[in-house]
Amino acid sequence: MTSRMTPLLGYNEQFARAFTPVPLGLPAAQVIVVTCLDHRVDPAITLGLKLGDAPVLRNAGGRVTQPIIEEIAYLAFLGQRISGGQLPDGSRFEVVVIHHTQCGTSFLADPGFRREAAEATGVDEAVLAASAVADPQVTARADVERLLTSPLLPPKMGVSGHVYDIETGRVTTIVDTRYP
Ligand SMILES: [Zn+2]
């Protein structure tokens, strides 16, 4: 039986042969990446993240929604437990919000398109509106603010905002690291 998965499993066979397991521990890069699920913006490739480096939270647009904030709160709790609450003083973690140009969610900024999408998919129009990234500079900034003002953001957690340019492959920082 072949499926779309067959060539990917072929790749995985090679991968597993040279594999070294990563033990459960704190992510080495000390960042949590929030970005779009777009297949052109995989941060493992654009930022060189390797296994064990960083948790990556992805949704349409890379928007800081309530579920994303809850994941971050849980990850911080888990990190505390894994480290036995012994995180050294200097080891601050940072949430890195990366939005990108040419985002497929930009169409959702148009009310007519949004209404059609809601009717065709059954997804709530407000949920679709919350995904929209029409201008990544504006939404990256807004989402950094949303995280910083959330009561669920773990203490000492930094937040920064960036834009990935689909045309150049370059990431530009829009908001330098801030703390609540
Ligand atoms: Zn996108």
Side-chain angles (χ1 to χ4, degrees):
M1 257 315 255
T2 63
S3 79
R4 299 291 185 209
M5 189 61 184
T6 303
L8 305 183
L9 288 173
Y11 174 87
N12 176 258
E13 186 52 41
Q14 299 300 315
F15 169 79
R17 274 179 203 164
F19 183 67
T20 311
V22 180
L24 180 62
L26 296 172
Q30 299 193 348
V31 298
I32 297 169
V33 180
V34 178
T35 197
C36 185
L37 47 70
D38 193 302
H39 45 295
R40 300 168 297 170
V41 302
D42 188 339
I45 294 168
T46 63
L47 302 178
L49 295 174
K50 295 183 289 300
L51 294 181
D53 276 354
V56 176
L57 308 176
R58 300 179 73 173
N59 64 15
R63 299 307 308 268
V64 173
T65 56
Q66 189 61 25
I68 289 282
I69 294 172
E70 288 167 6
E71 301 281 13
I72 292 167
Y74 172 67
L75 282 170
F77 170 79
L78 183 63
Q80 284 292 344
R81 281 297 164 95
I82 286 174
S83 67
Q86 308 264 315
L87 278 182
D89 266 357
S91 68
R92 287 187 152 183
F93 274 70
E94 180 170 335
V95 180
V96 172
V97 178
I98 310 174
H99 292 174
H100 70 98
T101 60
Q102 296 179 21
C103 190
T105 64
S106 62
F107 301 113
L108 293 169
D110 172 52
F113 183 92
R114 197 163 64 226
R115 201 172 316 113
E116 275 182 53
E119 281 165 15
T121 61
V123 179
D124 192 80
E125 215 177 311
V127 170
L128 292 172
S131 294
V133 174
D135 181 341
Q137 304 225 11
V138 171
T139 51
R141 205 175 284 282
D143 281 6
V144 165
E145 204 57 46
R146 173 148 198 217
L147 259 176
L148 285 169
T149 55
S150 169
L152 294 190
L153 185 72
K156 293 187 182 174
M157 183 75 85
V159 185
S160 61
H162 315 263
V163 171
Y164 175 77
D165 189 326
I166 288 285
E167 295 286 338
T168 65
R170 185 159 283 115
V171 172
T172 305
T173 297
I174 302 301
V175 184
D176 285 321
T177 314
R178 287 172 53 196
Y179 295 90

